[in-house]
Amino acid sequence: MAQNAKDSEVIDLFIIGGGVNGCGIARDAVGRGLTVTLAEMNDLASATSSASTKLFHGGLRYLEYFEFRLVREALIERETLLRAMPHISWPMRFVLPYHPDMRFEGETPASRLLGLFMPWLKGRRPAWLIRLGLFLYDHLGGRKILPATSSVDLTTDPAGRVLQPKYMKAFEYSDCWVQDSRLVALNARDASDRGARILTRTRVDSAHREAGLWVIEMTHDDGRSETVRARGLVNAGGPWAGEIIRDRIHVPSTEGVRLVRGSHIVTRRLFDHDRCYFFQGSDGRIIFAIPYEQDFTLIGTTDQDHKGDPGNVTCTDAEKEYLCAFASQYFANPVTPDDIVWSYSGVRPLYDDGAKSATAATREYVLTLDAADGQAPLLNVFGGKITTYRRLAEAALAKLAPHFPQASGKWTAGVALPGGDFPVDGVDKLKQALLTEYPFLAAAWAGRLVRTYGIDSRQILNGATSTADLGRDFGATLTEAEVNWLIAKEFARTADDIVWRRSKLGLHLTEEQVTTLSDFMTGAVAAHRREGCAAE
């Protein structure tokens, strides 16, 4: 392929950043008829978008900050997204144990208001206030699919068995789980299928305006340089958004990003039911304890301002100890650092609103458009939540619309992501169909395929009559057929792309198995690239 084969083309929109916001905008834009290129310097979802708590939720605690608009938008969106991706997202029930000693985070508007009118509470969260918050949570978003809040007697309910005896009462409410990094990959795949050009491991070195266009210089991972000209530029660089403005685009801006580190730990399974826990701490913060990947429990998250390189972030020993101590305030058997089998950490690129603490910083997204004096537009994306990524994309296209009058209108609400074109309650039916059509599958294997690929599972299995037809077995039900699918369809290039982002099979595979997979992928990716160049 020639070094700059695409240099002469002028596209409509160039997007920097392959996280959930960048890929969501790419999918929305190409579906409106725009020509789109997206460049990500690493793998898709390699930073913040694969390091979330993995929930589609309204953000119950944001009610204490009176962020009603944000919560309402997220609650409405929660069910819209659930319908569009029933394979990678599903409803979950959250158990919120209550004890009279529970306290507010000290600087929230709700805590200050109660301190003014009810000083005798001394910062405690009364049960009636939690119930009021859950009533709002049930009704702000026009809930239709998910069940309402209920009360739980922890002295008799199975959810109480693993908790300390002092927790006798709880509330149970609904939210949704989502496989966050798969969400990104599927948005990228859908954008690509609709005509977008998705470039992973491609660094944008610089961008400048010239003759009414953006001229973007980038370098691919094989060393090739390329120049792209675009009518509009979107900076969806997440934690790097500020650095992109300052060092690569060189456009003056007063907007800033506040980097907030959120860390999680994963332990062996701590309880044997399928509900989650919402724990409130003595410091006013909250964490979740969530059933994870069949055999584990996910606990998080922290909120710490992050001052270092956003590409080099880990869960610190202090954060591990904090999360263990926090969970141990609830579980009858203390959680210790020795119980941790894995941890991860991500940096949330929040809009810098000057809040005193990382916890209080707004989770609202902010979109700024620089297009003064008829210049080619630049849209900067700050903040956002994974739950509102689709709405953020719609808002981004609304801001860009005057510059692209040929673009059609909104279209993504309710449109299924790849593999998700089946009913919300159709997972068990699809799993049973796979077991009937492919009797060599074990139930857990069929379940994993459905929860990863939905109806596309059949394309991966592709008429196989035995496991041998699927090629090499890399362990934990990962086969050569699936690996080749991920390379061809979901931009996977390394073993880590597959075992930690397209899946979490890294929790089940040995180092030796991952090394074997990595060796295989070196050749498979090279062959895929040769085929791609030949096709072009």
Side-chain angles (χ1 to χ4, degrees):
M1 185 169 62
Q3 184 173 359
N4 289 321
K6 300 182 181 295
D7 284 3
S8 61
E9 296 181 9
V10 176
I11 62 169
D12 290 322
L13 206 59
F14 190 98
I15 300 167
I16 304 174
V20 70
N21 291 332
C23 291
I25 292 170
R27 178 186 184 232
D28 193 322
V30 73
R32 296 176 190 240
L34 300 183
T35 52
V36 176
T37 294
L38 179 148
E40 162 57 45
M41 63 180 177
N42 297 308
D43 181 32
L44 299 172
S46 57
T48 307
S49 294
S50 59
S52 75
T53 311
K54 309 179 194 313
L55 300 176
F56 277 152
H57 65 136
L60 181 60
R61 75 178 182 85
Y62 303 148
L63 291 175
E64 293 184 5
Y65 294 90
F66 298 160
E67 295 205 39
F68 298 112
R69 191 215 63 79
L70 173 67
V71 174
R72 182 175 186 274
E73 180 182 71
L75 289 172
I76 293 171
E77 191 65 3
R78 185 181 60 177
E79 295 200 359
T80 299
L81 297 176
L82 184 60
R83 291 186 177 95
M85 53 195 80
H87 50 331
I88 64 167
S89 180
W90 53 89
M92 298 187 87
R93 294 289 279 174
F94 288 74
V95 176
L96 193 163
Y98 176 74
H99 190 272
D101 290 339
M102 290 174 176
R103 296 184 178 275
F104 285 99
E105 198 275 323
E107 295 299 321
T108 69
S111 67
R112 292 196 297 268
L113 191 64
L114 256 70
L116 179 65
F117 291 101
M118 299 180 180
W120 58 88
L121 290 175
K122 297 181 179 180
R124 291 190 296 273
R125 283 184 174 103
W128 63 264
L129 186 66
I130 294 173
R131 192 63 185 88
L132 174 61
L134 289 167
F135 175 84
L136 290 173
Y137 204 68
D138 275 348
H139 294 89
L140 271 176
R143 174 184 48 81
K144 295 182 177 66
I145 299 174
L146 303 176
T149 297
S150 60
S151 296
V152 176
D153 182 352
L154 293 176
T155 64
T156 58
D157 191 279
R161 292 175 189 164
V162 295
L163 300 180
Q164 296 177 21
K166 69 178 181 179
Y167 299 106
M168 304 176 69
K169 176 182 180 181
F171 302 103
E172 185 177 296
Y173 70 96
S174 294
D175 261 323
C176 296
W177 177 259
V178 63
Q179 298 186 63
D180 52 5
S181 49
R182 287 210 54 72
L183 171 67
V184 179
L186 292 181
N187 270 272
R189 178 185 156 199
D190 199 38
S192 178
D193 289 346
R194 296 173 187 274
R197 188 176 178 221
I198 306 296
L199 303 172
T200 61
R201 293 177 168 82
T202 300
R203 178 182 172 83
V204 172
D205 300 310
S206 67
H208 67 276
R209 290 181 172 112
E210 180 182 295
L213 298 172
W214 279 101
V215 180
I216 301 102
E217 305 284 350
M218 56 187 181
T219 303
H220 298 276
D221 62 342
D222 60 2
R224 290 180 300 116
S225 62
E226 184 178 343
T227 301
V228 175
R229 291 173 173 82
R231 298 179 181 90
L233 179 65
V234 174
N235 171 16
W240 290 271
E243 184 259 334
I244 289 169
I245 294 171
R246 182 180 64 252
D247 298 335
R248 289 187 246 176
I249 301 177
H250 304 290
V251 173
S253 175
T254 59
E255 310 292 341
V257 177
R258 182 171 188 165
L259 301 181
V260 176
R261 186 176 67 252
S263 294
H264 299 75
I265 58 174
V266 175
T267 69
R268 291 292 174 187
R269 190 164 186 168
L270 300 177
F271 44 91
D272 59 5
H273 57 79
D274 61 359
R275 287 174 287 176
C276 313
Y277 291 101
F278 179 114
F279 293 154
Q280 303 173 86
S282 56
D283 59 357
R285 279 200 39 73
I286 66 99
I287 62 168
F288 297 100
I290 305 173
Y292 189 59
E293 295 294 315
Q294 293 82 50
D295 300 324
F296 306 95
T297 299
L298 173 66
I299 299 174
T301 179
T302 60
D303 264 327
Q304 298 285 332
D305 282 312
H306 184 78
K307 302 299 183 184
D309 178 3
N312 183 22
V313 55
T314 58
C315 180
T316 66
D317 289 342
E319 287 175 308
K320 292 176 183 177
E321 291 171 1
Y322 171 82
L323 291 171
C324 288
F326 198 143
S328 296
Q329 295 175 28
Y330 284 84
F331 287 120
N333 294 322
V335 181
T336 72
D338 290 339
D339 296 318
I340 299 172
V341 298
W342 183 52
S343 65
Y344 66 89
S345 189
V347 175
R348 306 182 193 99
L350 305 182
Y351 180 71
D352 192 355
D353 61 353
K356 290 183 179 180
S357 70
T359 302
T362 183
R363 266 56 177 177
E364 290 269 16
Y365 56 79
V366 175
L367 308 175
T368 63
L369 185 67
D370 181 286
D373 303 322
Q375 296 186 94
L378 164 66
L379 183 77
N380 291 309
V381 179
F382 300 97
K385 288 161 41 60
I386 196 167
T387 312
T388 52
Y389 89 92
R390 192 196 65 84
R391 290 293 298 271
L392 183 152
E394 284 187 341
L397 269 296
K399 277 190 170 289
L400 291 166
H403 302 275
F404 299 99
Q406 77 276 25
S408 56
K410 300 177 182 179
W411 67 275
T412 57
V415 177
L417 286 175
D421 193 10
F422 63 93
V424 171
D425 60 356
V427 167
D428 288 340
K429 183 177 180 181
L430 180 54
K431 176 182 171 182
Q432 289 305 314
L434 281 188
L435 289 171
T436 300
E437 296 166 31
Y438 300 93
F440 61 86
L441 292 177
W445 187 357
R448 184 184 72 80
L449 289 174
V450 170
R451 280 301 187 195
T452 306
Y453 305 104
I455 59 175
D456 285 344
S457 300
R458 290 189 175 95
Q459 294 189 44
I460 295 170
L461 295 169
N462 194 28
T465 58
S466 69
T467 56
D469 292 339
L470 299 175
R472 298 182 63 170
D473 177 4
F474 296 102
T477 71
L478 180 67
T479 65
E480 183 176 339
E482 184 175 351
V483 171
N484 286 331
W485 168 274
L486 290 168
I487 292 171
K489 299 289 188 180
E490 294 193 12
F491 313 96
R493 297 295 177 263
T494 72
D496 274 2
D497 296 352
I498 289 180
V499 304
W500 292 117
R501 286 180 286 277
R502 305 308 183 277
S503 74
K504 290 296 181 286
L505 291 175
L507 288 167
H508 303 277
L509 293 168
T510 66
E511 288 186 18
E512 183 179 0
Q513 287 172 320
V514 174
T515 298
T516 300
L517 172 63
S518 181
D519 292 342
F520 170 82
M521 288 187 68
T522 299
V525 169
H528 175 75
R529 282 179 166 167
R530 287 193 298 270
E531 292 171 4
C533 288
E536 290 189 21

